[in-house]
Amino acid sequence: MTGRPPTGELIRVRGLVQGVGLRPTVWRIAKACGLTGEVLNDGEGVLIRAWGAAPNLDRFCRELRQQCPPLARIDALERAPLGDPPGGGDFRIVESQAGEVRTGVVADAATCPACRRELFDPTDRRYRYPFINCTHCGPRLSIVERIPYDRSNTSMAPFRMCPECQAEYEDPGDRRFHAQPNACPVCGPRVCLQDPAGGRLEPRLPDAMDAVAAASRLLSEGRILAVKGIGGFHLACDACNAGAVAELRRRKRRFAKPFALMGRDLGVIRRYCRVSEQEAALLAGAAAPIVLLEADGPEVVASDVAPGQTTLGFMLPYSPLHHLLLGDWDLPLVMTSGNLSEEPQCVDNLEAVERLGSLADILLLHDRAIVNRVDDSVARVMDGAPRLLRRARGYAPATILLPQGFAEGPPILALGGELKNTICLVEDGRAVLSQHLGDLEDARTAREYERTIALYRDLFRLEPRVLAVDLHPDYGSTRLGQEWAARDGLHLAAVQHHHAHIAAVLLDNGWSLEGGQVLGIALDGLGYGEDGSIWGGELLRADYRGFERLGWLKPTPMPGGVKAILQPWRNTYAHIRRHLGWEPARARYGQLELFAWLGGQNLGVLDRMMQAGINAPMSSSCGRLFDAVAAALGICCEGISYEGQAAIELEAVTREAWPLPAGYPFAVSEGPGGTKLLDPASMWLALLDDLAAGAALPLVAARFHRGLADAVVELAGQLSSGLGLETVALSGGVFQNRTLFEAVSAGLRQRGLQVLAHRQVPTNDGGLALGQAAAALARQLGDGP
Ligand SMILES: [Zn+2]
Ligand SMILES: [Zn+2]
């Protein structure tokens, strides 16, 4: 020692820093750096008071950033001099007092490498224990009932820790220090095998075979298992056993929507799919999402796994139970959500026996309750970056930092849309977007929706003063917001659907409140427009506060309303009738099978609807344009069995025609008040000419994608240069289409425009609530400078 008095510093750590093992990391590094002082959680994050030689304090801060625990995210490390003299000669973790800690709930995390090693180590006391976890991994959101995030407030409460687990829990030097779900075979949850009638199977198992090993063997015999996981149930079967996969489809009544797969390791996945470095990192991260991969490996799974697709959705095992179940499996397993088609995933044991008993041969259950349903997240690498298509397990409820300008303002709760619903809380410069909840049209989901609102308000202690909703008067979420606002005297902010999409993508990219206007391109299914018609192919001049509609797809009626969503051919007929005229088109292309088929439908009824404007709303939807083109090519002509199926299968077909050939032309015509309309008439003529000339479907599908992308880029280029806008923001469900998204992005960049697209939140309606909250907050914050 030099004899010089130690320097004191107050170090504030902000970010995802509570409940993720940051305090013990601080403690360990502080001791290694010879510092004295203390660390504690408080309402703003983690606070450190430290004394030591100045270079040691620098080293401490450097190492803390470098050795940040896997689940933590340090957004800021602020240092200030501390006048107080040092306390004792040690470094301590100070217990936080109740009420001080604002949030400790983070996302569920995949089993960490250290726990995985112990799981398969025969000498470890947790060898083959399906609930092994530590501070760096395990369940969080799925088990929490209320805050503070302590064991007594989770579904681990009934399991009293044994002395060994308790000692780990209390030792700051241990990986399980304050790991709330800490457990072992002596004191923790257990698995069991049940038959569909609810009878236990273990007594009948051969010696030395545990329930998981028995389950694994049943799968190899072609059985279908219900498996209770972290945030819900899966239905599992051998993905290479065509009989088992077909039987699962029949029982689940899910005939086309792809099944997710789980592979034991990257080696297994690479036999079926090409996996880039970026995709491998995404698969193996702590969030462990389903990643959509190109299915062009040397081997194939049963064709029924993903009919009509060129991709497979793969994930790696993320719970110890999965690691054990797949330990001996060299083949992928189907791991699809445990439900009947369209219903939310099951979470409760009794409910599982009741609802899944007819779907599964055997149930692999356990006795830890799933408090909150958290579905598997879905991600895809597109245009060079990982992008979330469903944000749930592993991501929610991680906070999203709001960009500059959003620090002030009242607490806001955004209630989302109708399909793929999420809710969003905003306060003090941060947003919390809930996990994917599902479609509110489903009664079960609607009940869960209200429960989730209550949970999030409790977890994040938010008393909203503003409720943000969609403009659509008939969304369940809008009605809930209207009633709530009227009852409690809250401000209600209605945000137009596509403006919310654009606000979401701005926020997703850290665009500041005063960042200025952008050209927003919202290509979407359906959203209620300000004029009462249905929008969905929009070019908007927008910022967070508002928007102006500059251009859109030339409107087409949707004969039959909702029926036009379910039956793509209705859109084909409406498009041809409106943009070409049915009789002239039939005179020219009558020899095409399409015309014969359409002619066999009851077109008179559709004509009357469209003529009278009854049950045939006008729509500029890009999703319906995709439906119309898909059905013209005979793809999902009569009906779809899941949202977006026709568009997804149309895109899949283009893969055989890569690179994209020259596109079909779209014309631009003048709309009201100097606006621009993208007119598909010329596209239809070129497409039907191709069909009449016997062109192959992949070529036609690819020319449609290319043509639409070129037209959007061309119009966006004209509009942005006319207005001096340099940035284009892309959002809406149609941008899940990789072919279109990458073609549009590349085209815009070639024109020297900056392109903003979604990464952290979905481009579909799963990101809507974030945009609603941002738009509502921006309005509250006034007109700016
Ligand atoms: Zn762990
Ligand atoms: Zn124990």
Side-chain angles (χ1 to χ4, degrees):
M1 295 296 280
T2 58
R4 196 184 298 171
T7 309
E9 269 192 27
L10 190 67
I11 303 170
R12 157 70 60 201
V13 192
R14 296 181 200 274
L16 299 180
V17 293
Q18 294 179 358
V20 289
L22 195 76
R23 287 177 307 156
T25 305
V26 166
W27 176 84
R28 184 173 49 75
I29 299 173
K31 281 178 130 22
C33 293
L35 306 182
T36 65
E38 61 188 22
V39 56
L40 57 106
N41 281 334
D42 69 3
E44 289 180 63
V46 162
L47 189 67
I48 302 163
R49 292 187 186 88
W51 289 269
N56 290 2
L57 284 162
D58 291 342
R59 189 184 127 208
F60 167 78
C61 289
R62 202 169 52 240
E63 290 188 4
L64 183 57
R65 277 191 181 278
Q66 284 164 356
Q67 298 173 33
C68 179
L71 300 186
R73 185 187 80 201
I74 297 179
D75 293 331
L77 217 155
E78 298 155 8
R79 301 167 65 178
L82 190 61
D84 302 352
D90 203 356
F91 196 92
R92 303 180 306 135
I93 294 176
V94 179
E95 283 304 311
S96 45
Q97 279 148 25
E100 278 182 353
V101 181
R102 191 158 53 179
T103 166
V105 184
V106 296
D108 302 274
T111 313
C112 74
C115 284
R116 237 155 47 212
R117 273 193 300 278
E118 292 170 354
L119 182 64
F120 289 107
D121 174 0
T123 66
D124 193 274
R125 73 189 189 90
R126 291 187 178 87
Y127 175 59
R128 290 188 67 81
Y129 179 57
F131 302 92
I132 187 170
N133 69 83
C134 73
T135 317
H136 307 318
C137 70
R140 298 286 192 280
L141 176 63
S142 58
I143 59 168
V144 68
E145 280 161 350
R146 65 191 79 84
I147 53 165
Y149 176 65
D150 287 330
R151 190 179 181 97
S152 58
N153 290 333
T154 71
S155 56
M156 287 300 292
F159 304 98
R160 196 186 158 80
M161 274 188 275
C162 69
E164 272 184 277
C165 285
Q166 188 72 36
E168 294 165 341
Y169 182 87
E170 288 169 5
D171 175 4
D174 193 281
R175 207 171 84 244
R176 296 189 167 91
F177 176 71
H178 282 207
Q180 303 304 342
N182 188 25
C184 77
V186 175
C187 65
R190 287 157 201 231
V191 292
C192 66
L193 269 184
Q194 284 192 12
D195 63 38
R200 302 268 297 231
L201 292 182
E202 280 88 347
R204 286 178 264 156
L205 296 179
D207 286 349
M209 182 177 269
D210 61 28
V212 185
S216 174
R217 199 174 66 179
L218 288 165
L219 285 168
S220 70
E221 291 166 0
R223 306 290 196 93
I224 295 169
L225 258 69
V227 180
K228 186 177 183 180
I230 294 286
F233 279 76
H234 284 123
L235 287 165
C237 74
D238 176 353
C240 294
N241 182 328
V245 176
E247 178 62 15
L248 177 56
R249 283 216 177 271
R250 194 188 64 74
R251 291 188 198 171
K252 207 172 135 88
R253 287 187 253 144
R254 175 160 156 172
F255 301 110
K257 197 172 180 181
F259 286 149
L261 300 171
M262 188 178 273
R264 184 188 55 204
D265 50 40
L266 283 172
V268 170
I269 298 176
R270 285 201 160 104
R271 297 214 312 272
Y272 303 88
C273 294
R274 187 175 16 152
V275 184
S276 69
E277 289 296 307
Q278 233 174 355
E279 288 161 340
L282 192 54
L283 283 162
I290 296 167
V291 179
L292 299 187
L293 302 165
E294 295 298 322
D296 56 0
E299 293 176 41
V300 291
V301 294
S303 59
D304 254 2
V305 166
Q309 311 273 323
T310 55
T311 57
L312 290 173
F314 257 111
M315 60 186 151
L316 287 168
Y318 56 82
S319 82
L321 183 61
H322 296 146
H323 282 288
L324 294 173
L325 192 62
L326 277 95
D328 300 327
W329 271 84
D330 205 27
L331 299 172
L333 288 183
V334 165
M335 282 291 223
T336 182
S337 52
N339 55 2
L340 270 176
S341 190
E342 307 307 320
E343 288 182 354
Q345 199 179 175
C346 191
V347 293
D348 177 69
N349 281 7
L350 286 172
E351 192 196 356
V353 171
E354 189 185 304
R355 282 174 62 196
L356 304 180
S358 59
L359 307 184
D361 298 314
I362 306 285
L363 294 92
L364 182 60
L365 304 178
H366 59 71
D367 56 357
R368 181 175 69 200
I370 297 170
V371 180
N372 303 304
R373 174 171 65 89
V374 190
D375 295 335
D376 294 319
S377 294
V378 180
R380 188 174 189 184
V381 173
M382 295 193 283
D383 195 28
R387 304 179 193 271
L388 279 179
L389 302 179
R390 180 163 77 201
R391 186 176 180 275
R393 179 183 50 73
Y395 296 97
T399 53
I400 297 169
L401 277 187
L402 296 187
Q404 206 180 358
F406 282 106
E408 309 291 321
I412 292 178
L413 172 62
L415 294 167
E418 180 83 349
L419 303 176
K420 299 184 168 66
N421 184 280
T422 57
I423 56 163
C424 183
L425 283 57
V426 162
E427 191 173 25
D428 294 342
R430 42 177 213 161
V432 176
L433 187 66
S434 76
Q435 77 271 28
H436 162 88
L437 299 174
D439 299 347
L440 297 185
E441 289 164 349
D442 179 86
R444 266 183 234 264
T445 307
R447 280 197 298 277
E448 241 179 42
Y449 172 66
E450 301 207 22
R451 208 179 67 84
T452 306
I453 292 171
L455 172 84
Y456 271 77
R457 285 177 65 198
D458 178 44
L459 292 183
F460 297 95
R461 294 206 181 143
L462 184 109
E463 275 308 323
R465 300 225 314 270
V466 177
L467 297 174
V469 296
D470 194 273
L471 209 54
H472 199 305
D474 296 329
Y475 280 179
S477 54
T478 305
R479 286 199 301 270
L480 179 84
Q482 285 167 341
E483 286 160 21
W484 184 356
R487 191 180 59 235
D488 292 2
L490 305 181
H491 180 74
L492 187 73
V495 182
Q496 199 279 326
H497 195 91
H498 303 103
H499 181 224
H501 270 304
I502 300 303
V505 67
L506 292 179
L507 202 139
D508 200 346
N509 286 271
W511 190 260
S512 72
L513 179 59
E514 307 304 340
Q517 292 180 322
V518 300
L519 184 75
I521 304 179
L523 300 185
D524 201 22
L526 303 173
Y528 195 81
E530 287 192 322
D531 58 1
S533 79
I534 296 173
W535 295 5
E538 312 303 313
L539 287 88
L540 312 173
R541 170 157 66 166
D543 59 15
Y544 288 108
R545 291 188 180 92
F547 72 96
E548 179 191 350
R549 198 180 185 207
L550 302 176
W552 57 93
L553 278 172
K554 191 170 174 184
T556 307
M558 287 171 50
V562 173
K563 274 196 182 150
I565 302 172
L566 301 174
Q567 300 176 345
W569 68 268
R570 287 170 179 262
N571 301 288
T572 315
Y573 178 62
H575 262 266
I576 292 174
R577 185 179 182 276
R578 168 131 172 105
H579 302 299
L580 303 182
W582 178 248
E583 287 308 328
R586 199 172 59 170
R588 189 161 164 187
Y589 303 108
Q591 79 281 13
L592 285 178
E593 205 184 306
L594 168 67
F595 281 75
W597 193 89
L598 286 175
Q601 306 304 309
N602 192 349
L603 298 180
V605 176
L606 271 63
D607 287 338
R608 283 192 290 281
M609 282 195 257
M610 290 190 273
Q611 267 153 18
I614 293 167
N615 200 22
M618 293 303 283
S619 160
S620 56
S621 163
C622 191
R624 295 296 81 75
L625 172 64
F626 268 87
D627 286 351
V629 170
L633 272 58
I635 295 169
C636 301
C637 192
E638 288 179 69
I640 53 166
S641 61
Y642 62 92
E643 194 206 349
Q645 183 187 359
I648 289 168
E649 295 191 5
L650 181 67
E651 188 205 353
V653 170
T654 66
R655 288 284 138 173
E656 289 167 47
W658 270 74
L660 290 180
Y664 295 135
F666 283 74
V668 175
S669 58
E670 296 295 317
T675 54
K676 304 287 179 193
L677 303 183
L678 268 185
D679 187 337
S682 47
M683 180 280 293
W684 279 112
L685 287 174
L687 183 149
L688 293 170
D689 281 344
D690 261 2
L691 287 183
L697 294 193
L699 178 71
V700 178
R703 294 190 68 187
F704 165 68
H705 277 78
R706 174 87 262 170
L708 180 61
D710 288 348
V712 167
V713 168
E714 175 62 31
L715 183 53
Q718 282 176 22
L719 292 171
S720 56
S721 70
L723 295 165
L725 303 173
E726 291 165 354
T727 302
V728 181
L730 309 181
S731 189
V734 171
F735 283 115
Q736 294 173 99
N737 181 316
R738 179 179 167 185
T739 307
L740 185 79
F741 169 50
E742 293 185 344
V744 169
S745 306
L748 293 169
R749 277 195 295 264
Q750 269 168 18
R751 287 175 165 263
L753 292 160
Q754 184 192 4
V755 178
L756 306 179
H758 284 282
R759 291 174 187 239
Q760 318 170 67
V761 304
T763 192
N764 57 46
D765 284 3
L768 206 62
L770 182 70
Q772 289 173 344
L777 181 53
R779 289 184 206 166
Q780 291 288 321
L781 292 170
D783 292 334

